[in-house]
């Protein structure tokens, strides 16, 4: 993906909120989501593009006559309650619509255009969002070697990093039915745990509820069963990226995870941000891969110069807590981790290629999680289990309390953004949920 005029940081919009300092949604971003006005009937969902503090209604825009050709047919594919039809069309269509919308929102658009487009805008405060896509399959990878090493030390002190890690982009098949969009409650799960020193397990609410700072990668065009996607084509199959919090029940996980891996410790819920930032919008923030072990002899199907030099993305991420007491006092979220996707050992293209190398088919709207994106520093720990070293080192909260793992009433907010000299700052919006008490059984 090369840079073009839609990445020019000097471009302004006639919509004032799109030019506000620090906005997540300037004209250079244009992420996609599924929304409905709060005032309309329950099933009236459709696709929109976030711009400033507003949402641009794509089916309404298609009806104005302002779009032609591929941009028009792509906007018409937004007349659905999920982005899957729009995701399936492919990169030329996504680009045609992005460039047409960019032209309509630019500061030099005619007064007539501004009037027509204004009629297609809704305030973000006046709409509800839902999951961007109907996710058929969800796979969670494990692409941060820093996270894998830190977690490995806690679960297996003598053998933290398994020998396959630096050869295989490891993943497991997750659960799509429990994906939730930002803003929903997160119910504390019940489950089996084996307390230290006990000889039989106990049952009850999870006592070690944790988050995982990840990104969610939405598949656009899929591949036919039996036909792998080569590394050089992998990103053509990716529609875009959102924020993903992979809630984890560490006490349940420790007891159940061997030998088949994550099960009930992970599948009770995963929260996604509602806006999907496209690969074209992310083009200015490409960076070279980083590998702390300096190992570069990947098998040929996972290796290319382009991937090594530009396959990583500098997407900055943070996550924090606002307890119930803090929220009552009007205190801001207490950020406990700031990290970046650039520290991942395996790139997005390598995830796609590895997933399909055996012939497995990906479908439009499938979701790939990156795995917890911890960086090399202790402040870049993407999960509480790492930050507190397995619950041994509590962190202090602004309300005077302490945390090792999450308490009921904690509101967890994850944010993501891209920023560098010579490019606009673009953001992902929030990925937020509040911990609700466990149900009795
Ligand atoms: Ca995970």
């Amino acid at each position: 993906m090369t840079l073009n005029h839609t990445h020019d940081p000097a471009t302004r919009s006639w919509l004032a909120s799109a030019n506000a300092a620090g906005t997540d949604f300037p004209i250079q971003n244009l992420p996609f989501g599924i929304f409905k006005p709060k005032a309309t009937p329950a099933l009236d969902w459709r696709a929109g593009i976030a711009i400033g503090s507003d949402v641009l209604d794509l089916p309404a825009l298609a009806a104005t006559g302002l779009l032609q050709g591929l941009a028009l047919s792509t906007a018409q594919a937004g007349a659905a309650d999920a982005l899957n039809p729009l995701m399936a069309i492919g990169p030329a269509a996504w680009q045609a619509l992005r460039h047409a919308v960019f032209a309509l929102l630019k500061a030099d658009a005619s007064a007539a255009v501004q009037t027509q487009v204004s009629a297609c805008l809704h305030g973000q405060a006046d709409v509800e969002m839902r999951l961007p896509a109907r996710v058929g399959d969800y796979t969670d990878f494990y692409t941060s070697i820093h996270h894998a090493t830190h977690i490995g030390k806690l679960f297996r002190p003598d053998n933290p990093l398994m020998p396959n890690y630096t050869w295989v982009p490891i993943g497991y098949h997750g659960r799509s039915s429990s994906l939730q969009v930002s803003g929903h409650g997160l119910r504390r799960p019940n489950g089996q745990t084996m307390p230290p020193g006990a000889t039989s397990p106990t049952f009850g609410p999870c006592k070690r509820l944790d988050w995982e700072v990840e990104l969610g990668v939405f598949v656009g065009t899929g591949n036919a069963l039996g036909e792998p996607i080569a590394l050089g084509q992998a990103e053509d199959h990716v529609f875009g990226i959102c924020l993903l919090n992979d809630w984890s029940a560490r006490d349940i996980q420790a007891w159940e995870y061997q030998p088949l891996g994550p099960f009930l410790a992970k599948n009770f819920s995963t929260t996604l941000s509602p806006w999907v930032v496209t690969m074209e919008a992310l083009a200015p923030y490409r960076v070279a891969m980083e590998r702390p072990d300096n190992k570069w002899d990947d098998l040929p199907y996972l290796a290319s110069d382009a991937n090594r030099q530009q396959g990583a993305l500098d997407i900055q991420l943070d996550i924090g807590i606002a307890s119930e007491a803090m929220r009552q006092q009007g205190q801001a979220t207490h950020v406990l981790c700031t990290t970046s996707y650039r520290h991942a050992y395996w790139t997005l293209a390598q995830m796609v290629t590895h997933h399909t190398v055996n012939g497995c088919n990906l479908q439009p709207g499938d979701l790939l999680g990156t795995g917890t994106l911890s960086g090399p520093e202790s402040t870049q720990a993407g999960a509480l289990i790492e930050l507190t070293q397995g619950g041994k080192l509590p962190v202090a909260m602004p309300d005077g309390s302490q945390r090792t793992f999450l308490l009921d009433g904690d509101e967890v907010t994850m944010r993501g953004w891209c920023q560098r000299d010579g490019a606009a700052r673009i953001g992902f919006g929030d990925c937020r949920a509040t911990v609700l008490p466990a149900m009795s059984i």
Side-chain angles (χ1 to χ4, degrees), residues 254-275:
W255 172 228
E256 75 171 9
Y257 87 107
Q258 288 181 318
L260 289 187
F263 183 33
L264 301 183
K266 296 281 191 175
N267 70 1
F268 56 95
S269 194
T270 304
T271 305
L272 302 181
S273 61
W275 295 108

Side-chain angles (χ1 to χ4, degrees), residues 287-290 312-315 339-345 373:
V287 288
M289 291 173 71
E290 286 176 11
L313 285 163
D314 187 17
I315 299 174
T339 184
S340 168
Y341 184 32
R342 70 182 302 157
H343 304 301
Y345 195 88
L373 293 173

Side-chain angles (χ1 to χ4, degrees), residues 268-300:
F268 56 95
S269 194
T270 304
T271 305
L272 302 181
S273 61
W275 295 108
V276 185
V277 178
T278 63
M279 294 307 292
E280 185 169 3
L282 292 167
Y285 316 102
R286 295 191 158 280
V287 288
M289 291 173 71
E290 286 176 11
R291 285 192 169 171
D293 59 0
N294 209 27
K295 177 182 180 300
W296 297 107
D297 56 346
D298 294 344
L299 294 177

Side-chain angles (χ1 to χ4, degrees), residues 12 27 261 352:
R12 313 270 287 176
I27 192 170
V352 169

Side-chain angles (χ1 to χ4, degrees), residues 138 140-142 147 172 212 214 244 246 248 266 371-372:
Y138 160 44
D140 200 16
F141 282 84
Y142 200 49
H147 176 69
Y172 69 95
E212 292 191 340
E214 305 196 18
L244 186 156
D246 179 22
S248 300
K266 296 281 191 175
T372 310

Side-chain angles (χ1 to χ4, degrees), residues 129-131 180-186 245 247 269-274 411-414 430-436:
M129 304 298 298
R130 72 182 309 185
L131 285 178
Q180 295 273 287
V181 76
S182 175
H184 283 259
L186 182 272
N245 184 347
W247 303 102
S269 194
T270 304
T271 305
L272 302 181
S273 61
E411 179 189 73
V412 176
T413 302
M414 179 179 165
D430 288 352
C431 183
R432 186 191 309 261
T434 303
V435 179
L436 305 174

